[in-house]
């Protein structure tokens, strides 16, 4: 694998691993703050970031050893409204800056495994950003997010809060595979 | 909080988040390779790293915003013996290099919240390194790790594979709090 793609994949793995972790921490905070559906959305999205991190890690299977990894992270353990703003900022950074840059390099270097991992991730992050925005609008009105069913596609990290999809709109996986929160 | 301690805490959070994630991936691989007890040890240790990452993240509660985070990671998706060696290397790096350096800075800067998080982590990592070494010895003889009970202390990240402890030897938490794998 080309060195720049390998380095970018490690950074993407580091960023996704940190996002997975902070969404679990913010889920627990949302529950404490009285927003159980926002907590469920954070848990589902945490597991979506695990899907992405795992794709990146496996794409790096031949790059063995210890490395310094530079990745972006969002910090703060604050009100659920503020945490949701942090989540939106992190998702939009990935959608607008990080993944487009990594995709451009992987296309130039013809790195197919990396490209496929990045493309699943960037499409899922767009959905995550939308859902966190919806959640923040509710919380800022003092309400919980409206969501009876929250479903995760374990193939690509897509999330549904309506349960209306029969197959994943991003990767075509069947609804039977979806995990419920 | 002092800038160098805040930066170190972010790096520790990044490293623990990545370790949490790769142990889950290596657990699935150990299961596939026919080592279910090694898989259970990887899952318990993954959750121990979540305990450490959460301590670091909460110690950073007043350091809000987006940051570049530099942290050490171990990569490779290989035989379970090789993955265990990667796990041992990562744990020993934290025990011998990373946490001693971060502790020295936090002591000099009198940063009590960071020190308490680091001290729980470094003692638990010593135990993790020992248990992964035991697991690798078994796997290298073609056997699974011997472990009927695997317990995690959710306060400090200590792990027991004997179930003999009545309280956590690192943090004194009661056995009733321990999580079983
Ligand atoms: Fe992601
Ligand atoms: Fe996301
Ligand atoms: Fe999908
Ligand atoms: Fe740790
Ligand atoms: Fe550890
Ligand atoms: Fe403990």
């Amino acid at each position: 694998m080309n060195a720049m793609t390998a380095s970018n994949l490690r950074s993407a793995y580091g960023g996704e691993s940190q996002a997975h972790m902070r969404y679990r921490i913010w889920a627990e905070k949302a529950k404490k703050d009285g927003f159980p559906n926002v907590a469920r959305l954070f848990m589902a999205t945490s597991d979506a970031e695990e899907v992405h991190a795992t794709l990146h890690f496996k794409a790096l299977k031949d790059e063995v050893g210890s490395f310094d990894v530079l990745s972006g992270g969002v910090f703060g353990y604050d009100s659920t409204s503020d945490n949701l703003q942090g989540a939106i900022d992190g998702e939009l950074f990935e959608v607008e800056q990080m993944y487009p840059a990594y995709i451009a390099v992987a296309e130039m270097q013809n790195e197919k495994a990396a490209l496929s991992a990045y493309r699943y991730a960037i499409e899922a992050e767009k959905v995550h950003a939308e859902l966190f925005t919806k959640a923040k609008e509710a919380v800022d009105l003092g309400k919980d997010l409206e969501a009876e069913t929250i479903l995760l596609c374990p193939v690509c990290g897509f999330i549904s809060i309506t349960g209306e999809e029969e197959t994943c709109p991003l990767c075509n996986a069947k609804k039977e595979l979806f995990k419920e929160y």
Side-chain angles (χ1 to χ4, degrees), chain A:
Chain A
M1 175 174 283
N2 284 287
M4 285 306 296
T5 288
S7 170
N8 287 345
L9 270 173
R10 284 190 291 270
S11 290
Y13 170 77
E16 296 283 0
S17 297
Q18 290 183 53
H20 164 85
M21 187 63 71
R22 76 177 167 266
Y23 292 163
R24 300 185 100 67
I25 299 168
W26 285 343
E28 172 232 314
K29 184 67 165 71
K31 212 170 174 182
K32 266 193 210 160
D33 286 355
F35 302 109
N37 291 344
V38 175
R40 289 162 61 216
L41 178 64
F42 269 131
M43 287 305 288
T45 315
S46 172
D47 287 351
E49 311 313 1
E50 179 170 350
V51 171
H52 299 159
T54 302
L55 289 170
H56 301 337
F57 194 85
K58 290 185 177 174
L60 281 164
K61 66 182 185 326
D62 297 326
E63 305 286 316
V64 179
S66 299
F67 296 87
D68 282 339
V69 179
L70 188 68
S71 46
V74 182
F75 292 84
Y77 183 72
D78 225 309
S79 72
T80 290
S81 172
D82 286 338
N83 295 343
L84 283 165
Q85 187 60 54
I88 295 164
D89 294 345
E91 297 289 345
L92 291 180
F93 169 75
E94 293 186 351
V95 169
E96 294 168 359
Q97 293 292 326
M98 187 183 90
Y99 281 122
Y102 292 175
I103 287 170
V105 174
E107 279 174 344
M108 182 271 290
Q109 297 191 325
N110 198 25
E111 292 281 5
K112 294 195 197 320
L115 269 177
S116 137
Y118 295 153
R119 283 182 180 144
Y120 272 171
I122 193 171
E123 294 307 318
E125 314 308 5
K126 290 176 193 169
V127 178
H128 300 173
E130 267 174 44
L131 296 177
F132 283 138
T133 302
K134 201 169 276 193
K136 186 173 188 306
E137 284 165 6
V139 166
D140 287 347
L141 295 170
K143 292 188 228 164
D144 197 6
L145 176 69
E146 275 187 52
E148 277 187 35
T149 321
I150 299 182
L151 299 174
L152 165 68
C153 172
V155 177
C156 75
F158 169 77
I159 291 174
S160 166
I161 61 166
T162 63
E164 279 167 2
E165 299 81 0
E166 283 311 309
T167 57
C168 177
L170 304 184
C171 79
N172 283 319
K174 285 189 190 150
K175 196 180 191 171
E176 296 88 83
L177 289 174
F178 286 12
K179 190 177 161 196
E180 192 170 348
Y181 292 81

